Amino acid sequence: MFDFGIAGYRPRWLTDLAEIRREHGDRLAALVGRRLTTTRLMWDPDRDEWWSDGPVVLGFEEEQVEVNHQKFDEVSITWNSVDIGRAPAVEGFHLGWRGDAPHELVALCGRRLSSVALLQWHGEDRDVADDTCAVCFDFGSDGSVTVANGLDENHLDFTVPEPRWRRHSLP
């Protein structure tokens, strides 16, 4: 199993909404009311860009969730397994953790989580993304972030999810 060069990180890839909800729904729901305290993205300092293959790390007052996507439909949600104090060691890459980008994500730090939902994509013509799952962290009037599949990598969206995303509130 590829661990993205992160000691102790063991992604468990899931594709089925019901399975994701069963495995992580209660714990995701328990984040509601907590403040977002830290954010980290894997960063390539040589190119000054996000290395979007690695997990998106969100810290919520004593709980850390790590969300990662791969292939067209796989998501891994892990808990408290990424040490953001240690740089990832991916062969052929010079990577680190960055907590000050993008500005939309950083602006959510200190905000209380209002709700969290699993989203499931339903395209108009049964596209390749159908049934893909994402996680939406909503901070009410302060904004939101959705960690979605960007076709074999993570994608961050800071807008209200479009109607083709079916919302499955938690718990």
Side-chain angles (χ1 to χ4, degrees), residues 42-84:
M42 288 180 81
W43 204 263
D44 181 337
D46 298 332
R47 294 184 176 171
D48 193 28
E49 66 184 20
W50 176 30
W51 197 71
S52 55
D53 290 340
V56 174
V57 179
L58 303 174
F60 290 92
E61 297 177 325
E62 301 176 17
E63 186 81 282
Q64 178 176 284
V65 60
E66 303 120 10
V67 182
N68 204 2
H69 290 85
Q70 75 172 5
K71 300 183 181 175
F72 291 116
D73 61 351
E74 294 183 351
V75 62
S76 173
I77 300 172
T78 53
W79 299 88
N80 305 307
S81 68
V82 172
D83 179 356
I84 57 176

Side-chain angles (χ1 to χ4, degrees), residues 108 111-115 137-145 160:
L108 295 173
R111 307 295 189 251
R112 283 198 189 280
L113 187 64
S114 298
S115 67
F137 299 91
D138 186 356
F139 297 87
S141 62
D142 292 321
S144 67
V145 60
V160 174

Side-chain angles (χ1 to χ4, degrees), residues 32 40 52 56 61 66 90 116 131 152:
V32 172
R40 290 295 185 276
S52 55
V56 174
E61 297 177 325
E66 303 120 10
V90 180
V116 63
D131 296 328
D152 199 30

Side-chain angles (χ1 to χ4, degrees), residues 144-148 155-162 165:
S144 67
V145 60
T146 298
V147 185
H155 171 75
L156 297 177
D157 192 349
F158 300 96
T159 62
V160 174
E162 62 179 280
W165 282 114

Side-chain angles (χ1 to χ4, degrees), residues 1-14 24 55 66 68 75-83 86:
M1 170 188 321
F2 186 64
D3 62 9
F4 299 87
I6 304 167
Y9 179 62
R10 300 292 177 263
R12 182 168 177 258
W13 303 104
L14 304 172
H24 301 287
E66 303 120 10
N68 204 2
V75 62
S76 173
I77 300 172
T78 53
W79 299 88
N80 305 307
S81 68
V82 172
D83 179 356
R86 290 180 63 183

